[in-house]
Amino acid sequence: MDIGLIIYGELETLTGGYLYDRKLVDHLRAQGDRVEVISLPWRGYGRHLADNLSGSLLRRLEEAKFDVLIQDELNHPSLFLLNLRLKNRARYPIVTLVHLLRCSESRPAWLNRMYAAVERRYLKTVDGAVFNSNTTRATVRQLIGRDISGVVAYPGRDHLDYGLPMDGTAQQARRTGPLRVIFLANVLPGKGLNTLIDALSQMPRSSWRLMAVGSLTMDPSFSQSIRNQIVRAGLSDNVELVGAVPNDEIPGYLVRNHVLVVPSRYEALGIAYLEAMGFGLPVIATSAGGAHEIISHGEAGFLTSPGDVDMLARYLRQINQDRDQLLKMSLAAYKRAGSHPTWDQSFARVRDFLQSLIGN
């Protein structure tokens, strides 16, 4: 197949969504398909809307000899009108790759209504969709009032070199001393690092340590507010802000900790959750989004309500005080990760779906 993929910015960007896109490109190319990545520049939302009027972008897509065009749904503001023009000129089907709807994120309701209108219009222009979770598929169905022909392809479990047997997982969970908590996400308002720090501050300082691994430069003002929060609470000796690290270095951070906590306002699924569970770390996430598809509450971790500091603190105290429960959860997380699909298993379904559209 000859496939186009439209993204914003660089494919090597260190987020879960871009990791998913990279893995898809790698899989398709390994099957002998040609994949051309079309990168649109990151700009403000208003300037993205103006991309719909770009004659050069339309001509580039119109003249491309693709069998199918995949569009990362993140690019919807640049494409919601352009797709209507393109469908009258191009012969290939258009497939959207949906990680997370913009209108699902936490922001003022009036602003999300505006985003939803654009997103809804975009989603009605495509011929098919790839969803990263059943929750994402249901969210799209609710937004546009109908199903889009498509396939659910979970993020895979095997992009990190785990190499940790079950007895190693148990040994890691039995490590004594302060509860070692890792936050694995870029430091952005929606990821809930401020909520986590507030929850941990309810516990004795000698009983925990927090390591935050993720970019501190995507939202500098929020990162500075996190630094201020740490200083005000007198927690400078308890919290380490590591910053962004390459994907292959993540295992070295995970094996040094007991539990992953990323209390996001909304998470479509959460690749970081899978990464941590593969190393036997229980996960504390929130009930907003699709985390429940991989985390069974009370077994491989806990699901809290977004922004509920007291609930999060209660769960943290519980596993800190009951290390036998921490061990049981650690082993359950390890087993659950082992039963999750690999990237190749997930993307084989995507490739079959793409071929079915071409056959039509």
Side-chain angles (χ1 to χ4, degrees):
M1 289 185 292
D2 200 332
I3 301 167
L5 171 64
I6 298 182
I7 63 169
Y8 283 138
E10 299 298 325
L11 195 59
E12 298 304 316
T13 302
L14 294 177
T15 70
Y18 281 95
L19 171 64
Y20 189 106
D21 290 1
R22 288 196 303 275
K23 287 294 184 180
L24 177 58
V25 169
D26 289 345
H27 176 85
L28 293 171
R29 287 174 174 167
Q31 304 308 306
D33 300 318
R34 191 184 79 86
V35 182
E36 178 184 344
V37 177
I38 301 167
S39 173
L40 304 183
W42 274 112
R43 293 175 290 183
Y45 190 83
R47 295 191 65 185
H48 286 158
L49 294 175
D51 289 337
N52 290 277
L53 305 178
S54 171
S56 60
L57 178 58
L58 179 62
R59 284 192 299 274
R60 179 179 180 182
L61 297 177
E62 178 187 359
E63 294 169 0
K65 305 300 182 183
F66 299 135
D67 294 310
V68 61
L69 175 64
I70 303 174
Q71 301 172 343
D72 189 310
E73 198 272 346
L74 185 66
N75 292 62
H76 72 268
S78 296
L79 301 167
F80 78 106
L81 292 177
L82 186 142
N83 274 0
L84 295 175
R85 301 161 67 195
L86 182 62
K87 286 171 72 70
N88 293 326
R89 305 183 186 202
R91 296 184 178 181
Y92 50 74
I94 299 173
V95 174
T96 187
L97 174 53
V98 192
H99 301 292
L100 170 69
L101 294 185
R102 186 183 184 100
C103 62
S104 296
E105 298 173 351
S106 179
R107 61 173 58 87
W110 67 268
L111 189 54
N112 265 343
R113 284 194 294 270
M114 182 192 75
Y115 289 144
V118 176
E119 215 154 10
R120 184 184 300 112
R121 188 160 184 174
Y122 164 76
L123 289 165
K124 290 182 176 181
T125 69
V126 302
D127 301 298
V130 175
F131 308 97
N132 67 345
S133 70
N134 285 302
T135 298
T136 300
R137 185 171 204 164
T139 303
V140 169
R141 183 190 308 122
Q142 182 178 16
L143 178 63
I144 67 173
R146 62 173 174 82
D147 275 316
I148 298 177
S149 174
V151 62
V152 173
Y154 285 117
R157 60 174 164 84
D158 56 328
H159 61 278
L160 296 182
D161 182 13
Y162 292 101
L164 188 69
M166 186 170 289
D167 57 351
T169 297
Q171 183 178 358
Q172 178 176 289
R174 291 192 182 101
R175 187 185 300 125
T176 59
L179 182 69
R180 298 195 173 274
V181 181
I182 184 170
F183 171 91
L184 182 57
N186 293 321
V187 179
L188 298 167
K191 296 297 183 179
L193 180 56
N194 53 330
T195 301
L196 174 56
I197 293 171
D198 281 342
L200 287 167
S201 68
Q202 295 187 15
M203 299 167 58
R205 294 181 191 175
S206 61
S207 68
W208 61 273
R209 296 292 183 271
L210 171 62
M211 178 182 292
V213 179
S215 174
L216 294 162
T217 60
M218 288 188 172
D219 189 332
S221 62
F222 181 72
S223 295
Q224 185 58 51
S225 74
I226 291 293
R227 293 187 182 95
N228 294 342
Q229 179 185 9
I230 293 168
V231 171
R232 284 196 306 271
L235 299 175
S236 297
D237 292 336
N238 288 69
V239 181
E240 179 183 0
L241 299 178
V242 176
V245 301
N247 213 60
D248 60 2
E249 294 183 14
I250 289 174
Y253 291 95
L254 290 173
V255 297
R256 293 156 58 186
N257 289 279
H258 291 111
V259 59
L260 172 79
V261 186
V262 183
S264 300
R265 294 177 189 168
Y266 188 95
E267 203 73 57
L269 189 75
I271 292 177
Y273 304 153
L274 286 170
E275 293 174 337
M277 292 166 72
F279 284 91
L281 272 67
V283 174
I284 302 180
T286 71
S287 56
H292 68 275
E293 295 187 40
I294 53 175
I295 302 166
S296 298
H297 180 72
E299 295 181 14
F302 293 110
L303 297 173
T304 73
S305 298
D308 193 327
V309 173
D310 292 338
M311 181 185 293
L312 179 54
R314 185 164 64 250
Y315 290 140
L316 287 164
R317 283 194 297 267
Q318 184 174 324
I319 59 174
N320 189 34
Q321 295 166 2
D322 187 349
R323 294 300 176 95
D324 287 337
Q325 182 185 24
L326 174 62
L327 174 59
K328 290 177 182 177
M329 285 187 156
S330 178
L331 296 175
Y334 184 86
K335 291 178 181 178
R336 174 62 183 86
S339 68
H340 191 80
T342 65
W343 288 102
D344 281 343
Q345 288 169 341
S346 286
F347 289 151
R349 303 184 69 230
V350 174
R351 190 168 187 270
D352 288 345
F353 173 65
L354 298 179
Q355 289 180 317
S356 74
L357 289 178
I358 296 169
N360 293 338

